Amino acid sequence: MTKIRSALSSIPVAAWLMYAFLGWFIVAFLIYPNLNVYYEIFWGGGSFSLDAVHKLISSERAMKSLYNSFILALSLVVTVNLVGIFLVLVTEYFEIKGAKILRLGYFTTLVYSGVVLVSGYKFIYGDSGFITRVLSHLFPAFNVNWFHGYGAVLFVMTFACTSNHVIFLTNAIRKLDFQTVEAAKNMGASTFYILRRVVLPVLKPTIFALTVLLFLTGLGATSAPLILGGSEFQTITPMILTFARSVTSKDLAALLALVLGVATLLLLTLMIRFEKNGNFMSVSKVKSALVKQKINNRIGNVLVHTAAYLLFVIYIIPVVLIILFSFTDARSISTAMLSPGEFTLDNYITVFSNMSAFKPYLVSICYAAVASLAVVVLTLMASRILHKFNNIWSRTLEYALLIPWMLPSTLIAIGLIVTFDTPKPILGNTVLLGTLWLLLIAYVIVHIPFTLRMVKASFFSIDGNLEDAAKNLGARSFYSFRRVLLPIILPSALAVLALNFNNILADYDLTVFLYHPLYQPLGIVIKNSTDAQALADTQALTLVYSVILMIMSAITLYGVYGRSSRSKTK
Amino acid sequence: MKKTISLMMIFTLCLLLAACANGNSSTNQGAASPAASNGQTEPQSSQAPVNEKLIVYTNSNSDGRGEWLIDKAKAAGFDIEIVGAGGADLTNRLIAEKNNPIADVVYGLNSMLYEILTQNDVLEPFTPEWADEVEEGLNDPDGYYHSLVKQAILLAYNPEKYTPETAPKDWSDLWNKAEYKGMYEAPTLLGQGTPRIVAAGILTRYQDPSGEYGISKEGWEQIKKFYDNGVPAVEGEDFYSKLAGGQTPIGAMVSGVLASKEKQYGVKSGIVSPEIGVPVIVEQTAIVKGTKKRETAERFINWLGSAKTQGEFAKEFNSMPANAKAAEQANEDVKKLYASIKTQTMDWAFIAQNIDNWAEKIELEVLK
């Protein structure tokens, strides 16, 4: 009897509760509604049909777009990693004059994205853009329509997609033990050799995680190909979005999304295997902080400085132009001409004058705060399990959490609606449709895979000895998690939190299906007032809202990320 | 750092609680409303009827139209909450919410979308008091939806590039005459409403029950030429800027936004009036099936579509009312425009049945 009692008390109740909660959450919100939507789509008519496959294979355009998506994804993995690693080395590793200002420039992609970002680039390189005008002035034979197709899309996306590098690689490189660099230097290793053999291996887990995300971003590219691709370089996602909204073509959307999702999973499986084969981490117990390295080679130094400042200019100009043009009217925007007489505050007055519209900001901020925090907590739990165990259950858990990558967000929304519009036993017979919860749950679901990748990567760069030491000193599992592990991964976790928060603020695709009618989020209000059907100066309003969102995002980033990084350097 | 975290935790908890409370109160409202409507007096009794808060879905609330309507409704004794989104999104949403409807009334969507709604059993039949005042042929013959505002999908051109003589005479000129090749915008963004109507306006000319999705082989060839010879539309760009700038001087425009675009870009456009007519979409209104506030909803629709409300709306927002009495009060420019064009006869039920398949086929096989 006492034996049983002691056996029972040794079972960690809290841990089991956590497992039970995770299991329930995954079944109720990741597996059930998403399987349901696949079922409705493919078997909805009573029998399974391969029509969708046939339609897609016989469409030249669909096949070409799919091919382009993969080409773009693979190219981005190369170009963004190159640029991203360079940016982080410039701001964190090498001694570069004005690195702090450069960093601000490189951070700009964190506060704006999508259509606005691409339009920003079009202001500069488009047919009436600034650079184009300079070039055509210098070379009269210059073709003003040069900026479109594969090259243009790759150019814009290469610079647009470095956000994650700037945040997570920075976190990773700060964990580098400077003693290892010193040791290599003392042994006479060259700058490049140290980079390759000492610095990069430490960054490897993070680079792997970022590579998977890049591949997915490339496959999911929407606005850049739509605006700059021209007819010669269209990708598949715009087609998926169109089909997902139409009543009869959902099967095509689901099928295409499945193809992209499976490709991503394959890459991920490959990466997970690589990760297992070798996780490099420093074995030093007393780490010393990184000292910025001077580039001794004069020519090399000049080259790196030039490249760093050139990149800075590329990053900063679109943002400056967006802010400037938000003070002009549609005609100035479409011709990309700035003249001093045209500046006006009218656009801002229009946006802020009908301020029953403060409520949407509040609704969106609440949703974004709660959802992004919930995602991080959830993925912390999951990463903890993945870090602790390696068995069939942990692997199942990991793949289950990646399900949202297999469906476009529109279909995830539809899955939630068709599943939870009637009482379901798994939720204690409550109806979620028409409550505030449904949208919150959807935001959480959609951001799980990305968050998990990043949180997990930082978990796996932790030295296992630390936890063992805590255990040997008698710390309980939760205590050692809270006092030893959490502080190490907190910078990355907070960064993900901020990124998710910013993403949710102005989301439209998912929100439009699920928001509670009485609590309209910001994304809906923006879309309504900048819709093509609207009468007002819609292009100018789009820019005004973008500037507002940039400011909100910048505040979030400063609050969460800027402060935490400063406290670290103290 | 620790303090910040715990503060954030507390903040979150508060939010969650607030969310909880809100959720509860809204369900309470839902539970209370049937009782309220049961105890309510008949509208025709001498006592003033009690109006409950209505949830109204619409796609035409931008540019202050929503705020205007809320104010006017308030003056007439109605408490409404407007939920605005794009037409296709609202249609999807209404169908998705079928088992647990949130909206009471929907207005502003075009007949094609209302056909999709009736086919999915989302609407409740109701004939408003003003139904007879509406121009013939616009209301739903089955009585599910009734008409508010007319919108013509026009073929517009830049008058500095073309004169009425050199401009195309019909959509078909665009791909049959070499001089218009590359001079017009091809409506490729088929996720949006207007491009779909333009495509439907061309395809329905080639109706053939034995053809693919009800369209003859010739029809599919014609539409392919139409898309091949045009300049694809670009997401996020305002077409009117390209019409005004002369890069793409010909393309489709919705009549309701024409006046403000002309003012914005300082270019007044020429309008083609084809022999066959132009597609005229009609914004309709209907009661959502399963509403618990049916009587208030009926009174609201009676007020919304009345000659008085629609006439005032037309004056304020340059619209063309479907209500003949209200149409007399429309602005002169709008009346002139509608006098100069003819309405193309289109079978909306047929279009609603096929439009998704057409869009899919165009996306997959017609576009390059």
Side-chain angles (χ1 to χ4, degrees), chain A residues 438-459:
Chain A
L438 200 59
L439 183 58
L440 182 69
I441 290 166
Y443 284 146
V444 172
I445 293 176
V446 171
H447 290 90
I448 283 177
F450 163 74
T451 315
L452 181 72
R453 278 314 293 161
M454 296 330 298
V455 171
K456 197 190 143 203
S458 67
F459 243 104

Side-chain angles (χ1 to χ4, degrees), chain A residues 55 59 61 122 245-249 252 366 373 417 421 433 508 512 515 517-518 520 528 533-536, chain B residues 12 15 62-63 81 83-84 89 92-93 96 99-100 102 194 237 256-257 260 264-265 356 360 363-364 367:
Chain A
K55 272 185 196 164
S59 160
R61 177 163 177 258
K122 221 179 170 184
R245 284 193 184 184
S246 122
V247 178
T248 57
S249 313
L252 299 179
C366 285
L373 200 69
I417 293 174
D421 65 345
L433 189 75
Y508 179 77
V512 66
Y515 70 92
L518 303 182
Q520 287 205 8
N528 277 348
Q533 296 286 323
L535 303 169
Chain B
T12 314
L15 280 175
S62 54
D63 306 303
E81 175 90 29
V83 178
D89 287 333
N92 270 330
R93 197 182 164 114
N99 292 333
N100 191 16
I102 296 171
T194 310
E237 276 181 13
V257 302
S260 66
Q264 250 172 56
Y265 290 93
D356 278 321
E360 183 186 293
E363 286 272 351
L364 289 177
L367 297 182

Side-chain angles (χ1 to χ4, degrees), chain B residues 11-22:
Chain B
F11 175 65
T12 314
L13 206 70
C14 291
L15 280 175
L16 278 172
L17 284 177
C20 254
N22 280 332

Side-chain angles (χ1 to χ4, degrees), chain A residues 281 285 384 387-389 459 462-486 488:
Chain A
M281 49 196 123
K285 297 293 163 294
R384 171 81 175 139
H387 188 227
K388 220 167 153 185
F389 303 105
F459 243 104
I462 294 176
D463 187 347
N465 292 327
L466 284 175
E467 204 189 348
D468 290 344
K471 235 182 219 160
N472 290 341
L473 293 171
R476 285 191 160 236
S477 146
F478 182 67
Y479 185 84
S480 68
F481 173 74
R482 194 162 59 87
R483 297 302 297 268
V484 180
L485 301 184
L486 198 58
I488 300 179

Side-chain angles (χ1 to χ4, degrees), chain B residues 217-348:
Chain B
K217 206 160 171 244
E218 196 203 342
W220 288 114
E221 280 162 12
Q222 298 290 325
I223 199 110
K224 174 130 184 70
K225 280 192 212 157
F226 171 56
Y227 277 102
D228 281 354
N229 288 348
V231 180
V234 175
E235 179 90 18
E237 276 181 13
D238 189 352
F239 161 67
Y240 207 86
S241 77
K242 288 193 276 183
L243 183 146
Q247 298 101 314
T248 317
I250 310 174
M253 278 305 294
V254 179
S255 62
V257 302
L258 196 60
S260 66
K261 293 286 178 202
E262 285 176 343
K263 212 172 113 198
Q264 250 172 56
Y265 290 93
V267 174
K268 210 166 160 59
S269 58
I271 302 296
V272 179
S273 37
E275 189 80 10
I276 192 168
V278 296
V280 173
I281 54 173
V282 184
E283 297 178 359
Q284 314 271 3
T285 182
I287 294 182
V288 178
K289 192 171 185 171
T291 170
K292 297 182 182 78
K293 304 163 191 165
R294 166 134 199 177
E295 282 171 16
T296 311
E298 286 182 4
R299 281 196 298 275
F300 175 70
I301 287 185
N302 281 338
W303 169 81
L304 176 68
S306 66
K308 183 169 175 289
T309 313
Q310 285 304 313
E312 283 173 25
F313 183 83
K315 258 188 223 147
E316 185 80 24
F317 296 103
N318 268 321
S319 72
M320 186 64 196
N323 187 319
K325 279 189 190 164
E328 291 161 15
Q329 303 168 49
N331 293 334
E332 282 310 313
D333 279 356
V334 180
K335 278 197 223 166
K336 226 187 274 168
L337 175 70
Y338 277 83
S340 73
I341 52 171
K342 194 181 134 194
T343 304
Q344 184 180 353
T345 326
M346 291 168 84
D347 181 350
W348 291 109

Side-chain angles (χ1 to χ4, degrees), chain B residues 130-260:
Chain B
W130 42 265
D132 297 339
E133 297 166 14
V134 172
E135 204 178 300
E136 207 167 327
L138 300 185
N139 288 332
D140 177 27
D142 300 327
Y144 280 94
Y145 53 85
H146 295 85
S147 314
L148 298 177
V149 174
K150 295 201 288 186
Q151 294 272 19
I153 309 294
L154 306 165
L155 181 56
Y157 59 89
N158 183 329
E160 289 158 19
K161 298 271 174 180
Y162 298 100
T163 64
E165 285 73 42
T166 60
K169 301 285 171 294
D170 189 0
W171 285 93
S172 55
D173 282 353
L174 295 176
W175 63 90
N176 286 328
K177 294 189 176 161
E179 68 252 42
Y180 303 120
K181 189 173 177 182
M183 304 307 284
Y184 64 94
E185 184 176 81
T188 47
L189 303 174
L190 289 159
Q192 298 171 1
T194 310
R196 285 182 167 222
I197 306 272
V198 173
I202 294 169
L203 284 172
T204 45
R205 301 175 184 199
Y206 303 95
Q207 224 160 310
D208 175 2
S210 62
E212 193 177 2
Y213 303 129
I215 300 300
S216 70
K217 206 160 171 244
E218 196 203 342
W220 288 114
E221 280 162 12
Q222 298 290 325
I223 199 110
K224 174 130 184 70
K225 280 192 212 157
F226 171 56
Y227 277 102
D228 281 354
N229 288 348
V231 180
V234 175
E235 179 90 18
E237 276 181 13
D238 189 352
F239 161 67
Y240 207 86
S241 77
K242 288 193 276 183
L243 183 146
Q247 298 101 314
T248 317
I250 310 174
M253 278 305 294
V254 179
S255 62
V257 302
L258 196 60
S260 66

Side-chain angles (χ1 to χ4, degrees), chain A residues 55-56 58-62 64 115 119 122 127 226-228 231 234 238-239 242-252 329-331 334 354 356 359 365-367 369-370 373-374 377 414 417-418 420-422 431-437 440 482-483 490 494 497 508 511-520 524 527-529 531-539 541 560 563-564 567, chain B residues 1-2 4-5 8-9 11-12 15-16 18-20 22-23 25-27 29 53 55 57 59 61-65 67 81-86 88-93 95-102 116 120 151 189-194 196 213 232-238 241 247 254 256-258 260-261 263-266 317 353 356-357 359-368:
Chain A
K55 272 185 196 164
L56 285 178
S58 60
S59 160
E60 206 179 309
R61 177 163 177 258
K64 207 177 134 210
V115 175
S119 322
K122 221 179 170 184
D127 52 6
L226 264 181
I227 297 174
L228 298 171
S231 49
Q234 280 307 316
M239 207 190 259
T242 311
F243 285 155
R245 284 193 184 184
S246 122
V247 178
T248 57
S249 313
K250 286 199 178 77
D251 51 343
L252 299 179
D329 56 7
R331 202 167 2 153
S334 65
N354 49 359
S356 54
K359 197 172 152 195
I365 288 174
C366 285
Y367 265 123
V370 178
L373 200 69
V377 170
I414 292 172
I417 293 174
V418 298
F420 297 122
D421 65 345
T422 48
V431 176
L432 279 183
L433 189 75
T435 67
L436 288 163
W437 292 103
L440 182 69
R482 194 162 59 87
R483 297 302 297 268
L490 207 57
L494 284 180
L497 190 106
Y508 179 77
T511 311
V512 66
F513 286 95
L514 301 171
Y515 70 92
H516 190 283
L518 303 182
Y519 299 89
Q520 287 205 8
I524 306 296
K527 181 82 171 187
N528 277 348
S529 52
D531 193 55
Q533 296 286 323
L535 303 169
D537 196 338
T538 53
Q539 286 196 306
L541 286 188
V560 173
R563 275 173 51 203
S564 79
S567 70
Chain B
M1 188 81 264
K2 240 173 97 188
T4 336
I5 300 265
M8 270 171 79
M9 290 286 197
F11 175 65
T12 314
L15 280 175
L16 278 172
C20 254
N22 280 332
S25 71
S26 72
T27 44
Q29 266 173 22
K53 183 167 186 140
I55 306 234
Y57 281 12
N59 61 341
N61 66 324
S62 54
D63 306 303
R65 287 177 290 179
E67 286 80 6
E81 175 90 29
I82 286 192
V83 178
D89 287 333
L90 273 183
T91 309
N92 270 330
R93 197 182 164 114
I95 295 171
E97 290 172 352
K98 202 161 77 174
N99 292 333
N100 191 16
I102 296 171
I116 294 173
N120 280 285
Q151 294 272 19
L189 303 174
L190 289 159
Q192 298 171 1
T194 310
R196 285 182 167 222
Y213 303 129
V234 175
E235 179 90 18
E237 276 181 13
D238 189 352
S241 77
Q247 298 101 314
V254 179
V257 302
L258 196 60
S260 66
K261 293 286 178 202
K263 212 172 113 198
Q264 250 172 56
Y265 290 93
F317 296 103
Q353 213 168 25
D356 278 321
N357 290 327
E360 183 186 293
K361 190 176 158 76
I362 292 172
E363 286 272 351
L364 289 177
E365 294 168 30
V366 174
L367 297 182
K368 273 196 276 197

Side-chain angles (χ1 to χ4, degrees), chain A residues 390-435:
Chain A
N390 182 16
N391 54 32
I392 179 145
W393 292 106
S394 71
R395 279 193 292 274
T396 315
L397 171 71
E398 178 160 15
Y399 283 106
L401 288 173
L402 298 177
I403 290 175
W405 269 351
M406 313 284 285
L407 277 169
S409 56
T410 312
L411 289 185
I412 292 179
I414 292 172
L416 285 171
I417 293 174
V418 298
T419 311
F420 297 122
D421 65 345
T422 48
K424 287 279 151 49
I426 197 158
L427 294 179
N429 281 334
T430 48
V431 176
L432 279 183
L433 189 75
T435 67

